[in-house]
């Protein structure tokens, strides 16, 4: 499962088709994906109930946590972490959380059950070393020692809190039991991490990539991180990857033919129908669709278990922004590709009374093998989305 978000979205009019069903006419943007028409579904009329406030919603795309602008707001568990909890650690990394031009301290697609931000990895080289470069015996011993030290801290913490719990009333004791459960889960993850540290890492014939640190090379960074996600799936280093493309934090950037935008991505998104800004955004959106096409092609060209890797991989492209120009958080742009669904359609729900985006998440979780009928604000699954 690969979950991709640009936190400024795309221009809605050229993205969404004007017709529906399986005989729909491809929109200008989706024409870029024409060769994969039967490998993706575009969905309109989805959003998160009570998740509004413009840019404040960017951290809620995979959580659906309500009221991000309210006082005392706390995020909830994200789709990737929920899936990883249910599936258990069957790969070296339960999930990988990646970013492009991302403000790592404040933005992420990935959040813990307690609503804590998980920082994104924005270095392709560091990610490559993490997945494939085996340390020497001394480095492995050092890492095992770190894991053991963390375990001993948790042991001490549990001993102290158990003594403290005898002084508490029933309500506080129940809350402390929830805390104990969380600590036990961390202990289990540390134990699993120790086991994986003793195993050799996956091998690859790819070379260590060079990081692209210039924020102006936005699409080059985007393409590089997509290739790293594909490599993670090919090597079975993980089954779940998130990728936040932080357009909000992106300054003026390079477009095609070495053309550079006249302003930063965020300022362009507030175009006010200015022709020059809209034209630049259209070029940027077309480049995004081009990168998505290349990703689908790369996944289709590789096989696993007698199937195309694309058929075994759900790729979700979307955004918390339905229209960045007006800070609208409804009618979100959503495209789902691969994963063994019966694609080739435009599923259109009511644009005035949207269906919960989390209904799609439930459908994806079930396809991933997670036995659940609900997630966050869901009311069921997505009607019309069926597997092959």
């Amino acid at each position: 499962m690969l979950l991709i978000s640009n936190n400024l979205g795309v221009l809605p009019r050229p993205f969404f088709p004007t017709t529906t069903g399986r005989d729909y006419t491809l929109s200008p943007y989706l024409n870029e994906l024409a060769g994969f028409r039967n490998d993706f579904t575009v969905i309109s009329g989805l959003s998160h109930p009570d998740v509004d406030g413009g840019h404040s919603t960017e951290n809620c795309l995979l959580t659906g946590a309500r009221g991000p602008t309210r006082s005392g707001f706390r995020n909830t568990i994200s789709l990737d972490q929920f899936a990883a909890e249910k599936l258990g650690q069957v790969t070296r990394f339960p999930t990988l959380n990646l970013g492009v031009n991302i403000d790592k301290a404040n933005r992420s697609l990935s959040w813990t059950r307690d609503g804590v931000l998980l920082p994104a990895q924005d270095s392709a080289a560091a990610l490559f070393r993490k997945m494939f470069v085996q340390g020497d015996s001394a480095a492995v011993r050092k890492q095992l020692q770190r894991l053991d030290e963390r375990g001993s801290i948790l042991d001490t913490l549990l001993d102290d809190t158990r003594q403290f719990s005898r002084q508490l009333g029933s309500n506080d004791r129940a809350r402390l039991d929830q805390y104990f459960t969380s600590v036990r889960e961390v202990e289990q993850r540390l134990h699993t991490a120790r086991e994986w540290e003793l195993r050799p890492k996956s091998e690859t014939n790819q070379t260590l990539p060079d990081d692209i640190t210039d924020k102006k090379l936005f699409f080059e960074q985007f393409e590089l991180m997509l290739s790293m996600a594909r490599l993670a799936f090919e090597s079975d280093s993980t089954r779940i990857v998130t990728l936040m493309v932080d357009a909000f934090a992106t300054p003026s950037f390079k477009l095609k033919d070495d053309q550079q935008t006249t302003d930063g991505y965020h300022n362009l998104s507030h175009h006010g129908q200015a022709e020059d800004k809209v034209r630049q955004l259209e070029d940027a959106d077309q480049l995004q669709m081009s990168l998505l096409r290349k990703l689908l092609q790369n996944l289709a060209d590789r096989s696993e278990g007698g199937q195309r890797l694309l058929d075994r991989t759900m790729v979700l492209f979307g955004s918390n922004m339905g229209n960045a120009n007006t800070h609208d958080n409804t009618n979100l742009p959503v495209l789902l590709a691969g994963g063994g669904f019966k694609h080739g359609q435009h599923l259109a729900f009511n644009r005035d009374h949207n269906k919960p985006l989390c209904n799609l998440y439930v459908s994806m979780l079930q396809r991933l093998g997670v036995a659940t009928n609900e997630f966050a604000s869901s009311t069921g699954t997505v009607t019309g989305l069926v597997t092959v």
Side-chain angles (χ1 to χ4, degrees), residues 41 44 49 96 112 120 129 133 143 223 261 271 285 292 359 385:
T41 295
S44 57
L96 289 174
T112 70
R129 286 191 290 268
V133 178
Q143 179 62 11
E223 184 171 18
T261 59
H271 51 78
D285 290 347
L292 192 56
N359 285 8
L385 186 64

PDB file of all heavy atoms in Angstrom, residues 41 44 49 96 112 120 129 133 143 223 261 271 285 292 359 385:
ATOM      1  N   THR A  41      -8.973   3.825 -10.647  1.00  0.00           N
ATOM      2  CA  THR A  41     -10.314   4.373 -10.451  1.00  0.00           C
ATOM      3  C   THR A  41     -10.170   5.783  -9.907  1.00  0.00           C
ATOM      4  O   THR A  41      -9.404   6.007  -8.956  1.00  0.00           O
ATOM      5  CB  THR A  41     -11.123   3.524  -9.449  1.00  0.00           C
ATOM      6  OG1 THR A  41     -11.335   2.222 -10.007  1.00  0.00           O
ATOM      7  CG2 THR A  41     -12.464   4.158  -9.135  1.00  0.00           C
ATOM      8  N   SER A  44     -14.796  10.864  -7.007  1.00  0.00           N
ATOM      9  CA  SER A  44     -15.179  12.222  -6.610  1.00  0.00           C
ATOM     10  C   SER A  44     -16.255  12.157  -5.531  1.00  0.00           C
ATOM     11  O   SER A  44     -16.918  11.133  -5.356  1.00  0.00           O
ATOM     12  CB  SER A  44     -15.683  13.015  -7.818  1.00  0.00           C
ATOM     13  OG  SER A  44     -16.775  12.358  -8.436  1.00  0.00           O
ATOM     14  N   PRO A  49     -15.553  14.077   7.190  1.00  0.00           N
ATOM     15  CA  PRO A  49     -16.535  14.881   7.918  1.00  0.00           C
ATOM     16  C   PRO A  49     -15.889  15.697   9.043  1.00  0.00           C
ATOM     17  O   PRO A  49     -15.075  15.175   9.808  1.00  0.00           O
ATOM     18  CB  PRO A  49     -17.494  13.830   8.494  1.00  0.00           C
ATOM     19  CG  PRO A  49     -17.293  12.609   7.666  1.00  0.00           C
ATOM     20  CD  PRO A  49     -15.861  12.644   7.233  1.00  0.00           C
ATOM     21  N   LEU A  96       7.122   2.588   6.115  1.00  0.00           N
ATOM     22  CA  LEU A  96       8.122   3.617   5.832  1.00  0.00           C
ATOM     23  C   LEU A  96       7.371   4.911   5.547  1.00  0.00           C
ATOM     24  O   LEU A  96       6.444   4.928   4.745  1.00  0.00           O
ATOM     25  CB  LEU A  96       8.995   3.231   4.631  1.00  0.00           C
ATOM     26  CG  LEU A  96       9.987   2.090   4.851  1.00  0.00           C
ATOM     27  CD1 LEU A  96      10.674   1.722   3.539  1.00  0.00           C
ATOM     28  CD2 LEU A  96      11.017   2.441   5.927  1.00  0.00           C
ATOM     29  N   THR A 112       0.825   8.141  15.413  1.00  0.00           N
ATOM     30  CA  THR A 112       0.644   7.003  16.308  1.00  0.00           C
ATOM     31  C   THR A 112      -0.774   6.970  16.866  1.00  0.00           C
ATOM     32  O   THR A 112      -1.551   7.916  16.701  1.00  0.00           O
ATOM     33  CB  THR A 112       1.622   7.067  17.485  1.00  0.00           C
ATOM     34  OG1 THR A 112       1.230   8.160  18.353  1.00  0.00           O
ATOM     35  CG2 THR A 112       3.055   7.268  17.019  1.00  0.00           C
ATOM     36  N   ALA A 120       8.963  12.227   8.911  1.00  0.00           N
ATOM     37  CA  ALA A 120       9.180  11.606   7.604  1.00  0.00           C
ATOM     38  C   ALA A 120      10.671  11.564   7.278  1.00  0.00           C
ATOM     39  O   ALA A 120      11.441  12.436   7.682  1.00  0.00           O
ATOM     40  CB  ALA A 120       8.431  12.380   6.523  1.00  0.00           C
ATOM     41  N   ARG A 129      20.515   3.145   2.791  1.00  0.00           N
ATOM     42  CA  ARG A 129      21.411   2.502   3.757  1.00  0.00           C
ATOM     43  C   ARG A 129      20.608   1.730   4.806  1.00  0.00           C
ATOM     44  O   ARG A 129      20.998   0.632   5.216  1.00  0.00           O
ATOM     45  CB  ARG A 129      22.296   3.559   4.426  1.00  0.00           C
ATOM     46  CG  ARG A 129      23.404   4.093   3.518  1.00  0.00           C
ATOM     47  CD  ARG A 129      24.410   4.923   4.298  1.00  0.00           C
ATOM     48  NE  ARG A 129      23.830   6.184   4.727  1.00  0.00           N
ATOM     49  CZ  ARG A 129      23.903   7.312   4.033  1.00  0.00           C
ATOM     50  NH1 ARG A 129      24.545   7.325   2.858  1.00  0.00           N
ATOM     51  NH2 ARG A 129      23.371   8.423   4.492  1.00  0.00           N
ATOM     52  N   VAL A 133      22.193  -1.575   3.498  1.00  0.00           N
ATOM     53  CA  VAL A 133      23.599  -1.585   3.905  1.00  0.00           C
ATOM     54  C   VAL A 133      23.726  -2.245   5.278  1.00  0.00           C
ATOM     55  O   VAL A 133      23.205  -1.741   6.276  1.00  0.00           O
ATOM     56  CB  VAL A 133      24.188  -0.159   3.933  1.00  0.00           C
ATOM     57  CG1 VAL A 133      25.633  -0.201   4.410  1.00  0.00           C
ATOM     58  CG2 VAL A 133      24.099   0.477   2.549  1.00  0.00           C
ATOM     59  N   GLN A 143      23.759  -1.490  17.949  1.00  0.00           N
ATOM     60  CA  GLN A 143      22.320  -1.324  17.769  1.00  0.00           C
ATOM     61  C   GLN A 143      21.544  -2.229  18.716  1.00  0.00           C
ATOM     62  O   GLN A 143      20.532  -1.821  19.302  1.00  0.00           O
ATOM     63  CB  GLN A 143      21.926  -1.614  16.321  1.00  0.00           C
ATOM     64  CG  GLN A 143      20.439  -1.484  16.023  1.00  0.00           C
ATOM     65  CD  GLN A 143      19.902  -0.085  16.236  1.00  0.00           C
ATOM     66  OE1 GLN A 143      20.659   0.869  16.418  1.00  0.00           O
ATOM     67  NE2 GLN A 143      18.581   0.036  16.222  1.00  0.00           N
ATOM     68  N   GLU A 223      10.235  12.210  -7.857  1.00  0.00           N
ATOM     69  CA  GLU A 223      10.491  10.994  -8.626  1.00  0.00           C
ATOM     70  C   GLU A 223      11.453  10.068  -7.891  1.00  0.00           C
ATOM     71  O   GLU A 223      11.272   8.844  -7.891  1.00  0.00           O
ATOM     72  CB  GLU A 223      11.038  11.358 -10.005  1.00  0.00           C
ATOM     73  CG  GLU A 223      11.237  10.154 -10.910  1.00  0.00           C
ATOM     74  CD  GLU A 223      11.576  10.545 -12.334  1.00  0.00           C
ATOM     75  OE1 GLU A 223      11.986  11.705 -12.568  1.00  0.00           O
ATOM     76  OE2 GLU A 223      11.432   9.693 -13.224  1.00  0.00           O
ATOM     77  N   THR A 261       9.120  28.486 -11.859  1.00  0.00           N
ATOM     78  CA  THR A 261       7.892  29.200 -11.531  1.00  0.00           C
ATOM     79  C   THR A 261       8.208  30.612 -11.053  1.00  0.00           C
ATOM     80  O   THR A 261       9.295  30.884 -10.552  1.00  0.00           O
ATOM     81  CB  THR A 261       7.097  28.462 -10.444  1.00  0.00           C
ATOM     82  OG1 THR A 261       7.910  28.330  -9.258  1.00  0.00           O
ATOM     83  CG2 THR A 261       6.686  27.078 -10.920  1.00  0.00           C
ATOM     84  N   HIS A 271      -4.308  31.322  -6.694  1.00  0.00           N
ATOM     85  CA  HIS A 271      -4.130  31.949  -7.998  1.00  0.00           C
ATOM     86  C   HIS A 271      -5.160  33.028  -8.300  1.00  0.00           C
ATOM     87  O   HIS A 271      -4.919  33.912  -9.123  1.00  0.00           O
ATOM     88  CB  HIS A 271      -4.177  30.883  -9.097  1.00  0.00           C
ATOM     89  CG  HIS A 271      -5.365  29.987  -9.010  1.00  0.00           C
ATOM     90  ND1 HIS A 271      -6.620  30.351  -9.439  1.00  0.00           N
ATOM     91  CD2 HIS A 271      -5.491  28.709  -8.519  1.00  0.00           C
ATOM     92  CE1 HIS A 271      -7.475  29.364  -9.241  1.00  0.00           C
ATOM     93  NE2 HIS A 271      -6.822  28.342  -8.678  1.00  0.00           N
ATOM     94  N   ASP A 285       0.773  20.207 -12.233  1.00  0.00           N
ATOM     95  CA  ASP A 285      -0.137  19.067 -12.081  1.00  0.00           C
ATOM     96  C   ASP A 285       0.111  18.012 -13.150  1.00  0.00           C
ATOM     97  O   ASP A 285       0.069  16.801 -12.879  1.00  0.00           O
ATOM     98  CB  ASP A 285      -1.588  19.545 -12.153  1.00  0.00           C
ATOM     99  CG  ASP A 285      -1.998  20.356 -10.930  1.00  0.00           C
ATOM    100  OD1 ASP A 285      -1.256  20.335  -9.928  1.00  0.00           O
ATOM    101  OD2 ASP A 285      -3.054  21.010 -10.991  1.00  0.00           O
ATOM    102  N   LEU A 292       3.219   9.872 -11.802  1.00  0.00           N
ATOM    103  CA  LEU A 292       2.334   8.771 -11.420  1.00  0.00           C
ATOM    104  C   LEU A 292       2.291   7.722 -12.524  1.00  0.00           C
ATOM    105  O   LEU A 292       2.297   6.513 -12.247  1.00  0.00           O
ATOM    106  CB  LEU A 292       0.934   9.323 -11.137  1.00  0.00           C
ATOM    107  CG  LEU A 292      -0.062   8.385 -10.465  1.00  0.00           C
ATOM    108  CD1 LEU A 292       0.485   7.846  -9.149  1.00  0.00           C
ATOM    109  CD2 LEU A 292      -1.397   9.086 -10.246  1.00  0.00           C
ATOM    110  N   ASN A 359     -14.349   5.569   4.176  1.00  0.00           N
ATOM    111  CA  ASN A 359     -14.976   4.384   3.582  1.00  0.00           C
ATOM    112  C   ASN A 359     -14.023   3.719   2.598  1.00  0.00           C
ATOM    113  O   ASN A 359     -13.939   2.493   2.509  1.00  0.00           O
ATOM    114  CB  ASN A 359     -16.273   4.767   2.865  1.00  0.00           C
ATOM    115  CG  ASN A 359     -17.409   5.066   3.828  1.00  0.00           C
ATOM    116  OD1 ASN A 359     -17.217   5.126   5.036  1.00  0.00           O
ATOM    117  ND2 ASN A 359     -18.608   5.256   3.301  1.00  0.00           N
ATOM    118  N   LEU A 385     -16.716  -0.250  -5.604  1.00  0.00           N
ATOM    119  CA  LEU A 385     -15.306  -0.649  -5.709  1.00  0.00           C
ATOM    120  C   LEU A 385     -15.199  -2.110  -5.321  1.00  0.00           C
ATOM    121  O   LEU A 385     -15.365  -2.480  -4.155  1.00  0.00           O
ATOM    122  CB  LEU A 385     -14.442   0.217  -4.788  1.00  0.00           C
ATOM    123  CG  LEU A 385     -12.929   0.019  -4.878  1.00  0.00           C
ATOM    124  CD1 LEU A 385     -12.415   0.426  -6.258  1.00  0.00           C
ATOM    125  CD2 LEU A 385     -12.210   0.826  -3.797  1.00  0.00           C
TER     126      LEU A 385
END
